[in-house]
Amino acid sequence: MQKYSGFGLLKHALSHHENWQKVWRNPTPKHEGYEVVIVGGGGHGLATAYYLAKEHGITNVAVIEKGYLGGGNTARNTTIVRSNYLWDEAAWLYEHSMKLWEGLAQDLNYNLMFSQRGVLNLGHTLQDMRDIERRVNANRLNGIDGEVLSTKQVQELVPILDCSKNARYPVLGASWQARGGTARHDAVAWGFARAADAMGVHLIQQTEVTGIRRENGAVVGVETNRGLIKARKVACVTAGNSGVMANMVGMKLPLESHPLQAMVSEPVKPILDTVVMSNHVHGYVSQSDKGDLVIGAGIDSYLGYGQRGSFPVVEHTMAAIVEMFPIFSRVRLNRTWGGIVDTCPDACPIISKTPIKGLYFNCGWGTGGFKATPGSGNVFAHTIAHDEPHPLAKPFSIDRFTSGHLIDEHGAAGVAH
């Protein structure tokens, strides 16, 4: 892998930047198969492949993606990174990810545009503020940075935010995580892909998995539109389509898939240098390096696999953003889109081996997937390599939903809804 550097940039300028090495190869699947096949070429799948190679020496790995690398939810999120979660287990996992984020650009030798500009979670009611104080206290007990800010401190931090007493939901304060921020989503996928490819991982695009083949109760590979690709282990990291993958082996996962919407405005001059989130008014916003206002909404209430979402959610979110930031009222919206999020009943992910030998699932991240990307890949790689969970992944085993493995109508080991 050609190392990127300032000197290299100057050197390639002399040849009009025509001789750059390809970022990754486009290989043909091996006839003899692989040690591990990872289904899903998004951030989590690529991170898993990278850490399998880097930390466990498993380089005979293929990442199979039906579209292009990073073209699913990785390309469809609002890029927020934070670790200020309430419950210990979630906080430890996301803080593990945060620590990886903080050195990831150097580790991958790729500019991820990771910006620790801080994350504000606004409180608008007395109950909001009680919850904020509880969460910040829990964070600090777990060694995670966090502060409770007053209305005055919030206004000083974000002067354009409407903190007046006349607001429908006045800002009473906020939690503040200074180490939180944003990263460039496509750069994260490309950085992991490039680094994994350099260690021998095969990145196979435009290849759709249509089935998972088993023999004697264990997986032996995946059926694709390009034929069988053999593997000793198969790891599914397909976000909103995880339920579809599980159905291929007769397994039922406790997941629901919903469209989650996001949108960006036209570019404007720098005006917002942090991330502002409000659960009560329900909208969150940051400003990208290009100047776009990156706006996040809630999930659509219906189940579905669409990547658009519905107009009522867009309308509600726009109203929320303008309510918090009246200055944005005349900024024009450029485009909207949706991703497919898979949510578990307890709003926590599944990072686990399954009752079927050699089959693993990483799913159920809901709206928190992007920020967990490096941590998710790191602990999932450990689970695959050792066939047992990483210490941080133990609480997120598939077994937590059932006292025993249920048998479905096809006679296969499964998991109840």
Side-chain angles (χ1 to χ4, degrees):
M1 179 174 70
Q2 189 178 66
K3 190 171 178 63
Y4 292 157
S5 66
F7 174 76
L9 189 64
L10 292 173
K11 178 183 175 182
H12 280 280
L14 299 176
S15 60
H16 305 285
H17 297 288
E18 293 178 352
N19 299 315
W20 285 100
Q21 183 185 59
K22 284 190 175 181
V23 182
W24 56 77
R25 298 163 294 165
N26 189 27
T28 301
K30 291 182 184 178
H31 176 73
E32 64 273 21
Y34 299 88
E35 175 77 8
V36 179
V37 160
I38 296 169
V39 184
H44 288 230
L46 294 166
T48 302
Y50 171 70
Y51 287 114
L52 275 172
K54 180 192 175 190
E55 298 196 353
H56 305 284
I58 302 174
T59 58
N60 188 18
V61 176
V63 177
I64 300 178
E65 169 56 45
K66 70 177 180 180
Y68 59 92
L69 298 180
N73 280 2
T74 299
R76 292 174 171 273
N77 66 85
T78 51
T79 76
I80 296 171
V81 176
R82 61 185 178 91
S83 63
N84 56 346
Y85 281 73
L86 174 63
W87 300 113
D88 292 347
E89 294 83 1
W92 294 332
L93 180 60
Y94 282 99
E95 180 62 12
H96 176 60
S97 193
M98 177 67 82
K99 289 176 179 176
L100 290 172
W101 276 113
E102 290 175 322
L104 194 58
Q106 291 75 19
D107 188 23
L108 300 178
N109 182 227
Y110 202 89
N111 182 12
L112 307 179
M113 300 171 72
F114 178 50
S115 170
Q116 291 180 286
R117 60 187 67 184
V119 175
L120 271 177
N121 290 86
L122 302 179
H124 300 274
T125 66
L126 292 177
Q127 187 58 50
D128 280 352
M129 294 309 299
R130 293 186 192 103
D131 292 341
I132 282 171
E133 289 172 3
R134 180 188 181 202
R135 179 159 48 84
V136 169
N137 287 337
N139 290 161
R140 296 183 70 138
L141 286 170
N142 280 319
I144 299 169
D145 63 311
E147 296 179 59
V148 178
L149 302 186
S150 66
T151 306
K152 183 174 182 293
Q153 289 172 308
V154 171
Q155 187 74 88
E156 290 172 352
L157 194 63
V158 189
I160 62 173
L161 179 66
D162 182 8
C163 291
S164 70
K165 295 180 181 179
N166 296 325
R168 181 168 64 112
Y169 294 112
V171 175
L172 303 184
S175 69
W176 168 248
Q177 185 179 24
R179 290 166 60 234
T182 62
R184 178 74 182 180
H185 43 36
D186 46 11
V188 173
W190 299 339
F192 274 122
R194 175 175 175 267
D197 175 85
M199 289 187 282
V201 172
H202 277 195
L203 307 176
I204 303 172
Q205 302 178 78
Q206 305 298 323
T207 303
E208 183 175 0
V209 172
T210 57
I212 299 174
R213 185 177 292 189
R214 290 179 289 167
E215 292 179 5
N216 300 320
V219 298
V220 295
V222 293
E223 302 280 1
T224 76
N225 57 353
R226 298 171 67 177
L228 174 68
I229 299 178
K230 299 175 184 177
R232 286 187 60 248
K233 297 180 177 181
V234 173
C236 298
V237 199
T238 53
N241 286 299
S242 296
V244 176
M245 296 299 302
N247 285 339
M248 292 179 182
V249 291
M251 183 184 293
K252 296 178 181 178
L253 293 176
L255 297 173
E256 289 185 345
S257 293
H258 295 261
L260 174 67
Q261 294 191 59
M263 52 211 81
V264 294
S265 75
E266 62 184 339
V268 295
K269 291 183 177 180
I271 194 170
L272 181 63
D273 59 0
T274 189
V275 180
V276 179
M277 309 179 71
S278 171
N279 285 333
H280 204 96
V281 179
H282 212 283
Y284 50 96
V285 60
S286 62
Q287 188 170 19
S288 75
D289 294 332
K290 295 189 299 180
D292 310 355
L293 297 176
V294 184
I295 299 165
I299 63 173
D300 284 272
S301 57
Y302 61 88
L303 305 181
Y305 295 93
Q307 293 181 318
R308 275 191 309 188
S310 59
F311 285 114
V313 171
V314 174
E315 184 179 31
H316 172 80
T317 304
M318 289 296 93
I321 295 301
V322 171
E323 185 171 341
M324 291 190 290
F325 296 93
I327 195 173
F328 293 160
S329 63
R330 297 182 68 183
V331 175
R332 289 172 292 188
L333 200 62
N334 243 2
R335 62 189 182 278
T336 71
W337 65 90
I340 308 167
V341 298
D342 50 335
T343 59
C344 288
D346 59 1
C348 288
I350 294 170
I351 312 171
S352 180
K353 62 180 183 179
T354 72
I356 298 172
K357 185 178 179 182
L359 181 63
Y360 307 82
F361 269 87
N362 183 343
C363 56
W365 289 93
T367 62
F370 179 73
K371 59 183 70 68
T373 300
S376 165
N378 185 268
V379 301
F380 194 41
H382 182 284
T383 302
I384 297 165
H386 299 281
D387 202 35
E388 62 181 31
H390 184 284
L392 291 176
K394 284 182 179 178
F396 307 108
S397 168
I398 208 169
D399 294 337
R400 74 183 189 269
F401 295 105
T402 177
S403 57
H405 300 307
L406 303 182
I407 303 299
D408 69 11
E409 64 269 23
H410 304 293
V415 178
H417 283 288

